[in-house]
Amino acid sequence: MPDRDWRVHDGRVQLRPWQQDDLDSLLLHANDAAVSRGLSTRFPYPYTHADGQAFLAGGVIDLGGPVFALVIDGNACGGIGVTQGKGERRFGASLGYWLGQRYWGQGVMTSVVAAYAPWVMRELGLARLAAQVMAYNPASARVLLKNGFVEEGVERQSVFKDGVLHDMRCFARFESFPQLP
């Protein structure tokens, strides 16, 4: 975790660990069908008080890793984190992020990913950082492309959500990594 006050997007956005007192702002921004639409079913709609409590208790994802709240004007309105691979996949991780609709189209997530991606790759010793976005979400794809991710392809009909099979666009960013003996 960064050892300083980590601010991006002209100092307007703070990245910090999630806190129990983020519940009200989490519910405000997460309980949005448009936000949930592009995320996994771990991020439901409606997003209830119980969902928020489970998330902040670490029952949905491991909050002990490099997982941060995006805080604007004192309110947690988004999140970013990775899930690192294990065993032979330990030098790779999957990136995930979300942002409350109120802040879409302002370059916030592009700035956050620009700071977070190289940091987490160094911090965890990653050679590969992958991300997948729903094919109907070109804004999220642009965030990745602007931050050095390359599109690797499409996984056809790979996600079943809201009664429909969806395609996923696959992206990755690479760092040179010394060969191990």
Side-chain angles (χ1 to χ4, degrees):
M1 172 168 26
D3 56 0
R4 58 185 165 80
D5 182 18
W6 201 10
R7 294 189 179 264
V8 299
H9 200 64
D10 296 329
R12 189 169 161 230
V13 181
Q14 178 188 24
L15 276 67
R16 63 152 170 80
W18 285 94
Q19 302 170 354
Q20 289 301 313
D21 62 358
D22 288 331
L23 182 59
D24 289 339
S25 59
L26 171 61
L27 294 174
L28 175 69
H29 295 284
N31 190 29
D32 183 332
V35 171
S36 175
R37 183 175 176 250
L39 301 173
S40 78
T41 55
R42 292 183 307 185
F43 199 106
Y45 177 79
Y47 196 92
T48 67
H49 192 268
D51 294 322
Q53 286 180 314
F55 174 79
L56 294 173
V60 178
I61 60 172
D62 179 8
L63 296 177
V67 176
F68 299 110
L70 280 57
V71 180
I72 300 176
D73 299 327
N75 296 306
C77 57
I80 191 166
V82 299
T83 302
Q84 188 170 8
K86 303 208 181 304
E88 67 277 3
R89 296 190 180 257
R90 69 187 174 277
F91 297 108
S94 295
L95 173 69
Y97 52 83
W98 71 275
L99 182 65
Q101 187 174 184
R102 176 179 177 185
Y103 300 102
W104 291 1
Q106 301 173 31
V108 171
M109 195 52 72
T110 298
S111 296
V112 168
V113 172
Y116 181 84
W119 173 82
V120 78
M121 291 187 82
R122 281 190 312 273
E123 188 73 12
L124 298 180
L126 301 175
R128 174 187 173 84
L129 185 59
Q132 295 182 320
V133 301
M134 298 278 198
Y136 57 74
N137 189 350
S140 193
R142 279 192 303 275
V143 166
L144 297 169
L145 292 169
K146 288 179 182 178
N147 280 293
F149 286 75
V150 295
E151 188 160 3
E152 295 186 310
V154 176
E155 289 184 1
R156 303 273 181 222
Q157 299 182 356
S158 62
V159 172
F160 185 74
K161 184 167 184 186
D162 301 327
V164 178
L165 280 169
H166 297 277
D167 295 348
M168 297 294 285
R169 294 175 67 186
C170 304
F171 298 85
R173 176 182 168 134
F174 307 93
E175 296 293 333
S176 52
F177 194 79
Q179 286 291 71
L180 299 174

